Amino acid sequence: MLRPNGATERRFRGRILGAGTTSGVRIVVGMWDRSPFGSFTDVFLELADGSSVLLAPDEIVAAYVSGTYRFDTVSVVDVRARRTARGLELDAGPLQATIDVGGISPLGRVLRIVPKPIARDPRWLALIDPVARLVSPGSGTAGSAGNGRREYYGVTGAHDVTAVSGTWAGEPLGTLAPLDPPVAFGFASMPRVPQVVDVETTIREPAV
């Protein structure tokens, strides 16, 4: 979408899952039903030593995402996310994980108060960003991204993540833990309590 000032606006609608593990690996999974690049899943990780990894399904997604967020390593791998009765089965190169998802979280109940068209509006998201950062330290709804881009997270629903198991590079992930410390790929992290959220991400790129 081209805005009147010449800036480009790209929208991604789907779900983001964030969870920590007792091994120290923190996982953020983006499952995008609608995007400028079609439907895809990508994975952000922060490892126990603090290094960050992007697992992307193709070179185009890898280039765009790594131009928006910060990573130490970018890998193009076959990323497969399969919904199950209990949650999600994830197979992404060196990462294999089974993630259980429970009922609507306390955050999800609060989000129901705001009508979805308002909750996705960048003007609203810029207004409430200070409140979001106060309520959930490390998180946010509006901020700066790479290459002069501006990003907005419009969250409309949330469910608890209740369990995680699997391996990273052949080593056990351990069990579920808070997403703590907050991940630092961009201007904001997911909440500390492991959750999967329904979201529309809007990225505005400067005019060229």
Side-chain angles (χ1 to χ4, degrees):
M1 179 186 298
L2 187 64
R3 297 185 61 79
N5 62 2
T8 299
E9 186 174 89
R10 300 178 188 265
R11 296 192 175 190
F12 300 73
R13 186 174 292 184
R15 289 159 300 284
I16 302 177
L17 183 152
T21 67
T22 53
S23 68
V25 176
R26 284 157 288 150
I27 305 169
V28 177
V29 184
M31 296 162 281
W32 304 108
D33 299 323
R34 294 170 54 189
S35 86
F37 311 111
S39 175
F40 71 91
T41 298
D42 58 1
V43 183
F44 302 0
L45 300 108
E46 279 199 2
L47 308 183
D49 64 4
S51 61
S52 57
V53 179
L54 166 64
L55 303 177
D58 58 47
E59 296 286 355
I60 294 174
V61 170
Y64 187 80
V65 174
S66 63
T68 306
Y69 305 96
R70 299 182 296 269
F71 301 98
D72 297 309
T73 304
V74 176
S75 296
V76 175
V77 299
D78 187 11
V79 182
R80 297 180 182 178
R82 184 175 66 88
R83 292 188 191 183
T84 68
R86 296 178 61 178
L88 182 72
E89 295 282 349
L90 184 64
D91 185 350
L95 176 67
Q96 285 78 45
T98 299
I99 303 170
D100 292 354
V101 177
I104 297 173
S105 68
L107 172 62
R109 288 190 284 272
V110 172
L111 292 169
R112 286 181 165 183
I113 298 171
V114 183
K116 288 183 179 181
I118 295 175
R120 294 168 177 154
D121 190 321
R123 293 169 296 181
W124 166 258
L125 297 170
L127 180 66
I128 67 168
D129 180 66
V131 177
R133 293 178 185 274
L134 182 65
V135 172
S136 182
S139 66
T141 56
S144 298
N147 290 310
R149 296 166 184 166
R150 188 79 179 163
E151 188 170 18
Y152 304 87
Y153 290 131
V155 179
T156 59
H159 286 70
D160 287 318
V161 171
T162 57
V164 172
S165 62
T167 59
W168 164 253
E171 296 295 325
L173 290 171
T175 56
L176 184 67
L179 196 68
D180 187 38
V183 293
F185 311 112
F187 74 87
S189 176
M190 287 282 288
R192 183 177 185 274
V193 177
Q195 294 182 62
V196 56
V197 301
D198 301 314
V199 63
E200 180 172 284
T201 299
T202 300
I203 299 177
R204 289 180 175 168
E205 303 173 6
V208 295

